[in-house]
């Protein structure tokens, strides 16, 4: 079952907004200060009936205490995964794996050329696929049909490694990290691919702070419900033909 998630800093107002909008899955981005207060995040998170993933701090200045706190937070919230940028994973991945071998660490693609993208997919045991990064950086804003072909090829070879997904509503020529509803055609086509591959991890609508309000969060969930209703009544191939 596809799980549509949002992403927000673990503050009470953000929890409340996302929950009232209808989200029940979320990814929590972290920094060193938040990790130093990880127990308060646990207390706050338990007030909401949500499932969690974590995004590790994007820095290379994490001490042993911070890494231990990251592990403690992961297990306290029964997290789905921890997302790492590749450079940070290269610094701390081995240490964390030795500390807690059962951690679900999934390394994210970023500004990768096509050969670098393939090297990333082959190298790591668990992957976070960022659809926006794939389209904008790796495919250089190619037509949507090429994005879908690339995704289908990726899923054919690496679906067994795919653990987590970032999917803002990207359209070439527009700003990054917009809500999914801003790119309905892309989102429907990509969701078709994930449904066909039976992916069951989080698909995160990763948006800028200014879009993290109840109305726009709800619009993303309504878009997903529209896709699900269409998926139950419309052959996948016909929608794919429209997207292509």
């Amino acid at each position: 079952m596809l799980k549509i998630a949002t992403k927000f800093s673990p503050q009470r107002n953000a929890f409340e907004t996302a929950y009232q909008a209808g989200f029940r899955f979320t990814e929590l981005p972290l920094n060193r200060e938040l990790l130093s207060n990880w127990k308060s995040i646990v207390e706050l998170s338990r007030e909401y009936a949500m499932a969690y993933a974590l995004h590790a701090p994007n820095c290379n200045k994490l001490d042993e205490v911070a890494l231990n706190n990251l592990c403690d937070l992961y297990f306290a919230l029964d997290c789905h995964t921890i997302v790492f940028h590749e450079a940070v994973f290269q610094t701390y991945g081995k240490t964390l794996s030795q500390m807690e071998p059962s951690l679900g660490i999934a390394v994210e693609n970023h500004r990768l050329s096509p050969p670098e993208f393939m090297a990333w997919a082959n190298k790591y045991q668990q992957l976070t696929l960022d659809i926006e990064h794939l389209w904008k950086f790796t495919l250089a804003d190619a037509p949507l049909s090429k994005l879908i072909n690339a995704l289908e090829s990726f899923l054919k070879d690496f679906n067994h490694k795919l653990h987590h997904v970032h999917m803002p509503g990207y359209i070439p020529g527009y700003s990054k990290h917009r809500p999914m509803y801003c790119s309905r055609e892309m989102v429907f086509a990509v969701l078709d691919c994930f449904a066909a591959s039976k992916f069951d991890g989080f698909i995160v609508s990763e948006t800028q702070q200014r879009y993290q309000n109840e109305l726009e969060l709800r619009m993303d969930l309504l878009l997903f419900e529209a896709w699900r209703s269409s998926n139950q009544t419309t052959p996948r191939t016909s929608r794919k033909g429209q997207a292509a």
Side-chain angles (χ1 to χ4, degrees):
M1 182 184 71
L2 300 184
K3 302 177 179 69
I4 299 301
T6 186
K7 180 179 178 181
F8 56 78
S9 181
Q11 311 296 333
R12 180 173 294 278
N13 63 334
F15 272 99
E16 192 65 25
T17 298
Y19 195 82
Q20 291 302 321
F23 276 96
R24 296 300 179 263
F25 304 96
T26 190
E27 178 183 319
L28 302 178
L30 302 169
N31 56 36
R32 284 179 293 173
E33 181 179 356
L34 288 169
L35 283 177
S36 68
N37 296 297
W38 70 273
K39 290 183 180 179
S40 64
I41 297 176
V42 173
E43 292 174 3
L44 179 58
S45 300
R46 286 176 175 169
E47 295 181 25
Y48 298 89
M50 302 179 80
Y52 299 101
L54 304 178
H55 196 301
N58 295 328
C59 71
N60 284 322
K61 296 182 179 179
L62 300 177
D63 58 20
E64 185 175 351
V65 172
L67 295 177
N68 275 307
N69 290 347
L70 179 61
C71 295
D72 288 340
L73 180 60
Y74 175 93
F75 289 112
L77 295 183
D78 191 23
C79 286
H80 168 263
T81 192
I82 305 176
V83 178
F84 270 83
H85 285 188
E86 193 167 10
V88 182
F89 178 80
Q90 289 171 353
T91 302
Y92 299 110
K94 183 176 181 179
T95 299
L96 279 168
S97 296
Q98 291 172 343
M99 290 170 60
E100 293 290 351
S102 62
L103 289 175
I105 297 174
V107 181
E108 182 180 357
N109 59 303
H110 196 222
R111 294 176 178 266
L112 304 178
S113 67
E116 289 170 338
F117 181 83
M118 291 303 298
W120 159 82
N122 279 293
K123 182 175 182 179
Y124 299 106
Q125 293 182 354
Q126 296 186 124
L127 305 173
T128 292
L129 176 65
D130 190 300
I131 297 294
E132 183 174 78
H133 294 167
L134 173 61
W135 198 0
K136 180 175 178 62
F137 300 128
T138 305
L139 300 178
D141 287 343
L144 176 58
S145 58
K146 291 190 176 181
L147 171 67
I148 300 307
N149 288 340
L151 178 59
E152 289 178 335
S153 178
F154 170 84
L155 291 172
K156 179 181 178 181
D157 294 333
F158 300 107
N159 188 52
H160 64 290
K161 289 187 171 187
L162 184 60
H163 205 58
H164 195 73
V165 171
H166 288 166
M167 188 171 67
Y170 182 67
I171 296 176
Y174 289 81
S175 61
K176 295 188 298 179
H177 292 174
R178 299 197 306 161
M180 291 193 305
Y181 75 82
C182 294
S183 190
R184 178 189 179 100
E185 185 180 14
M186 180 274 286
V187 168
F188 272 37
V190 169
L191 289 176
D192 282 346
C193 292
F194 287 131
S197 70
K198 302 188 186 305
F199 176 69
D200 64 355
F202 287 16
I203 299 176
V204 183
S205 178
E206 184 183 31
T207 65
Q208 300 175 34
Q209 179 65 41
R210 64 193 176 106
Y211 298 119
Q212 293 177 21
N213 57 75
E214 187 173 337
L215 173 61
E216 292 185 271
L217 291 175
R218 186 169 293 170
M219 288 175 69
D220 271 359
L221 287 174
L222 288 173
L223 179 70
F224 176 66
E225 290 302 321
W227 170 81
R228 186 156 60 182
S229 295
S230 178
N231 197 54
Q232 292 170 351
T233 59
T234 305
R236 177 176 177 268
T237 52
S238 66
R239 280 207 314 283
K240 182 185 173 186
Q242 292 173 0

